[in-house]
Amino acid sequence: MESQSQVLERLRTAFESRVTIPEKFRRTQLTNLMSMIKDNEEQIVNALHKDLTKPKFEAILSEVEIVMNELHCALSNLTSWMQPEYVSKNLATKLDECFVRREPLGVVLIIGPWNYPMQLLIVPLIGAIAAGNCVVIKPSEVSAATDNLITELIPKYLSKDCYAVVRGGAKETQALLKNRFDHIFYTGSQAVARVVLQAAAVHLTPVTLELGGKCPCLIYGRVNATAAAHRLVWSKFFNAGQSCVAPDYVLCSKATCDALVPALRQVLEDFYGSDIQKSPDMSRIVTPKHWTRLMGLLNRTKGKVVVGGEHDEKDRYIAPTVVVDVAEDDALMEEEIFGPILPILTIESLEESIKLTKTKEKPLAFYVFSDESSVVKKVLENSSSGGFCSNDGIVHMALPGLPFGGVGNSGFGHYHGHWGFEAFSHQRAVMLRGWALEKLNALRYPPYSDEKLSWHSYLT
């Protein structure tokens, strides 16, 4: 088995040979990646079920279709993405050729998470391949079945000289980060992100961090409680709430809460039946450790559980749970929940709701439910988040045309579609100049004079 340094040396040699530069090579690798997903869809679904008891519908929707959409987008637009971008010129550069050239960064590292172990590893890989890089791929060891499958499939479908999978836990990842990369793309927690940043700083390596945070859902004004409950339940409890863009908590008035809670209870029964634990459509918590953390939050809350609360440690099951009368300093408000627990805070005014969200770190997503466009506009203009969506949850991340990424503690840098291509490219400024107009250039040479200086103002 190759050591990490041998893997990197192999990929560095391949990159220096310029094999990844031609469009034909990039297109072939992207097409092969598409074949990998198509040929092994059933295996992917099975692996995700082993790791998270993820329903087939959710697996296909979030881990297969999103990846396929990204591949279609990249293959359809690769030619135009690779073209030089010509820029406007002034009088002094009128005869020059001035453009931005996208060049691959080199050998890049992509570290994936466990909650969407296929999508959140392969989508950035698409951007890296499209941009012409060699890639070291590090799947999450927590989602072991998907880790095994990715390790098996990548060498079968992609160039072994240009793309490699490196496995292992925290120790192996820390060793991997000691190597020099040309870019590191990490999806996961803030705690690990700090480790990644510190390791990258040693080599002055640029980093993209896709993190999370407490994504608020502000419900205000005229709202159809039933429709809101449908969209809130689906987006919150999709993948058992283990989504970085899931609504983390709700802010609404007492009257809205009183209407929303019974609607949530009814929608949960409509979606998952009267015994949710037996539903084939509800995922499980990924590991006993994560289950214990979530139960610790639930046990420490001073709020009132009005929906759910049932749990089964052996099955790693926590029922979709709604908690009301939650205070700003409650245990459920201390950290990102990342599980099927939804706290509701009752605040009467829109201004106070917005103010409360600003006491938290900037989230990866911000949701507002309202029939009133003025409310949506006010929240949009008075908040900051990686993404924003009105009257629905998590769906904005499925559109390749929108950049996906955080701000502040929820991360920096973005990807998806053209944004992923840009994330893994160097935007090189190019000016191609000939030998004409040397007399004009004499205006910049010494001896300097006020007259020459005045000409410069005209030329530029």
Side-chain angles (χ1 to χ4, degrees), residues 60 81 96 144 204 352:
I60 296 294
W81 291 349
D96 301 325
L204 296 180
E352 284 299 308

Side-chain angles (χ1 to χ4, degrees), residues 1 7 10 33 36 40 43-44 47 51 117-118 121-122 125 136-160 163-169:
M1 183 179 293
V7 170
R10 173 163 55 84
L33 198 55
M36 184 186 90
N40 300 280
Q43 286 181 265
I44 292 169
D51 288 331
M118 184 64 65
L121 191 71
I122 302 301
L125 175 61
V136 174
I137 303 153
K138 170 60 181 70
S140 172
E141 75 285 0
V142 176
S143 46
T146 309
D147 180 3
N148 290 335
L149 184 60
I150 289 170
T151 303
E152 174 191 339
L153 295 180
I154 290 291
K156 290 182 179 179
Y157 287 86
L158 298 184
S159 166
K160 295 183 182 68
Y163 313 102
V165 179
V166 173
R167 306 180 70 183

Side-chain angles (χ1 to χ4, degrees), residues 403-428:
F404 180 77
V407 59
N409 263 39
S410 57
F412 47 79
H414 38 245
Y415 69 120
H416 283 197
H418 181 248
W419 306 94
F421 177 85
E422 291 288 316
F424 289 101
S425 297
H426 167 55
Q427 292 79 36
R428 189 178 187 184

